[in-house]
């Protein structure tokens, strides 16, 4: 997108239709995630369960309350968090290929989780599980800290690098280095912990329990609140740091808060759900194409709704309704996200001007 179009809001009718439409689509996806699965629950039965009335089967309330409802809530939080984090990264680095996964934030969060889980061994894993809320909070804090360290390194290097493609390559290198540390931890870990960690890397919304959801809600809402407070700085950064400074923006402070927000969102999601690929990269581009704008006042609610919707639909496809099989969530999100990125690259001659 050309610079003069970056802050241009879409026309009123388009905004009035698309943003509420995305929210309606989110509600539909949420209902489908509760209704469909290995056991199909009709819409009337779903409302009966949610309202506490008598149901056609005694198993329906158990399925919804213990399995599908926490999984759906987790999907909404994770999808919204990753999409907003990706939007912030693309604006901050002025790079259309930036996202928490590509720039190593998810790898840093994975390192934080790996240090806590793998280095503790079997006894440490039992101890963490026994700590309850404190253990969940510590795991989330480790992931957020790992994400912040990697993103901080990328941000530090970005001050001396002018090319966005060079910065992208450096971010990938930080990610590879972080993955190398994780591999070393895996090599010296016990088999039981290795198996648990590998299953965690496949990505899943179903492993989050009701005990863990309050921690995820608090951390995600905190990250989203920071992101909403950074809307004006993000819009100013669309036209470059010099323009932002001319408008009176403290660029260093804005970078810091955007860094904190993105790290909290990506770190908390990775801690509980594993490293979920492509949502942070694909969703912002889909919203820009739908709304024809880079104005974050419009994009922020749009990416929240669309990110949550795609996360729920990906999880629904991963569970193969009517079947007992469950696919790795990362495989499904990659199948959705990869075509979007390929299409975007093929239809944009100059990637550096699209953010």
């Amino acid at each position: 997108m050309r610079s003069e179009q970056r802050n241009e809001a879409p026309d009123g009718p388009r905004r009035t239709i698309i943003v509420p439409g995305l929210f309606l689509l989110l509600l539909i996806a949420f209902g489908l995630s509760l209704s469909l699965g290995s056991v199909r629950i009709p819409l009337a039965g779903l409302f009966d369960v949610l309202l506490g009335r008598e149901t056609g089967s005694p198993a329906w309330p158990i399925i919804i309350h213990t399995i599908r409802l926490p999984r759906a809530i987790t999907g909404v939080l994770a999808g919204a968090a990753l999409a907003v984090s990706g939007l912030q990264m693309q604006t901050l680095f002025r790079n259309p290929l930036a996202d928490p996964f590509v720039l190593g934030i998810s790898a840093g969060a994975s390192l934080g989780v790996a240090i806590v889980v793998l280095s503790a061994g079997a006894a440490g894993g039992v101890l963490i599980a026994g700590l309850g809320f404190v253990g969940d909070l510590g795991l989330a804090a480790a992931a957020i800290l790992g994400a912040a360290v990697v993103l901080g390194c990328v941000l530090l290097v970005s001050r001396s690098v002018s090319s966005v493609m060079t910065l992208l390559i450096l971010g990938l290198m930080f990610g590879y280095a972080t993955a190398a540390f994780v591999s070393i931890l895996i090599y010296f870990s016990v088999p039981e912990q290795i198996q648990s960690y590998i299953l965690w890397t496949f990505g899943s919304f179903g492993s989050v329990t009701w005990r863990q959801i309050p921690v995820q809600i608090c951390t995600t809402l905190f990250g989203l609140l920071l992101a909403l407070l950074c809307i004006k700085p993000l819009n100013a950064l669309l036209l470059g740091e010099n323009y932002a400074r001319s408008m009176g923006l403290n660029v260093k402070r804005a970078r810091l808060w955007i860094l904190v927000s993105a790290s909290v969102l990506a770190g908390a999601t990775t801690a509980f759900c594993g490293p979920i690929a492509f949502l942070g990269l694909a969703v912002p581009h889909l919203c820009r194409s739908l709304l024809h704008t880079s104005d974050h006042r419009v994009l922020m609610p749009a990416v929240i709704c669309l990110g949550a919707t795609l996360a729920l639909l990906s999880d629904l496809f991963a569970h193969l309704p009517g079947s007992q099989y469950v696919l790795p969530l990362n495989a499904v999100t990659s199948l959705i996200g990869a075509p979007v990125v390929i299409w975007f690259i093929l239809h944009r001659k100059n990637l550096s001007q699209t953010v």
Side-chain angles (χ1 to χ4, degrees):
M1 233 176 253
R2 292 185 176 88
S3 61
E4 61 268 17
Q5 296 175 324
R6 288 170 183 160
N7 279 321
E8 182 181 324
D11 54 89
R14 176 181 291 274
R15 186 193 312 180
T16 304
I17 294 173
I18 291 181
V19 176
L22 291 175
F23 181 73
L24 178 61
L25 188 63
L26 171 59
L27 294 179
I28 295 173
F30 192 86
L32 290 175
S33 68
L34 297 180
S35 177
L36 301 180
S38 58
V39 176
R40 182 181 177 277
I41 301 176
L43 187 61
L46 177 60
F47 280 110
D48 288 338
V49 171
L50 296 178
L51 295 176
R53 299 196 294 240
E54 291 289 334
T55 61
S57 171
W60 290 354
I62 299 175
I63 292 173
I64 290 178
H65 288 303
T66 62
I67 300 175
R68 295 185 183 175
L69 188 56
R71 191 176 71 203
I73 293 173
T74 301
V76 170
L77 294 172
L82 292 174
V84 171
S85 180
L87 176 65
Q88 290 178 303
M89 292 300 93
Q90 290 172 9
T91 301
L92 179 63
F93 291 99
R94 303 184 66 193
N95 191 325
L97 297 180
D99 82 327
F101 202 88
V102 173
L103 287 178
I105 302 178
S106 294
S110 299
L111 177 61
V113 173
I115 290 174
V116 172
V117 175
L118 295 177
S119 64
V126 173
L127 177 61
I128 292 171
L131 289 177
F133 180 84
V134 177
D136 296 333
L137 191 61
L139 193 65
I144 291 171
L145 182 60
V149 169
V150 173
L151 184 55
C153 292
V154 175
L155 198 59
L156 184 63
V157 172
S158 68
R159 297 180 178 180
S160 58
V161 173
S162 58
S163 171
V164 292
M165 295 307 296
T166 302
L167 184 59
L168 178 62
I169 294 173
L170 289 173
L172 288 171
M173 293 304 104
F174 280 118
Y176 285 134
T178 304
F181 282 110
V182 174
S183 298
I184 293 173
L185 287 174
I186 291 175
Y187 182 79
F188 289 103
S189 298
V190 296
E192 293 80 5
Q193 294 295 331
I194 294 174
Q195 183 179 9
S196 299
Y197 181 78
I198 291 176
L199 290 174
W200 173 80
T201 60
F202 288 160
S204 174
F205 299 145
S207 59
V208 180
T209 64
W210 279 115
R211 188 193 71 188
Q212 296 170 326
I213 283 180
V215 180
Q216 188 185 15
I217 290 176
C218 292
T219 52
T220 301
L221 290 181
F222 175 70
L224 290 177
L225 177 61
L226 288 180
L228 293 174
L229 293 175
C230 291
I231 285 179
K232 286 186 177 181
L234 286 168
N235 277 341
L237 288 171
L238 283 171
L239 297 176
E241 293 186 1
N242 292 333
Y243 174 80
R245 289 191 183 93
S246 69
M247 295 181 63
L249 177 68
N250 187 327
V251 174
K252 290 184 178 180
R253 182 181 300 174
R255 274 182 163 186
L256 175 62
W257 286 115
I258 294 171
L259 163 65
V260 171
S261 174
S263 299
V264 168
L265 292 172
T269 301
T270 304
F272 293 114
C273 307
I276 308 298
F278 275 110
L279 287 179
L281 177 60
V283 171
H285 293 307
L286 285 173
C287 289
R288 290 190 190 97
S289 298
L290 286 172
L291 295 166
H292 299 300
T293 184
S294 291
D295 188 348
H296 291 79
R297 293 172 298 178
V298 181
L299 282 179
M300 198 67 74
V303 298
I304 289 174
C305 292
L306 187 57
T309 300
L310 288 181
L312 290 174
L313 293 178
S314 298
D315 183 67
L316 185 63
F317 291 142
H319 281 79
L320 299 174
S323 171
Q324 298 295 327
Y325 296 101
V326 179
L327 298 176
L329 182 60
N330 257 331
V332 178
T333 56
S334 298
L335 288 174
I336 293 174
V340 173
V341 177
I342 293 172
W343 173 88
F344 182 77
I345 292 174
L346 294 178
H347 287 76
R348 292 292 188 274
K349 295 181 179 180
N350 191 346
L351 291 180
S352 63
Q353 295 181 353
T354 59
V355 175

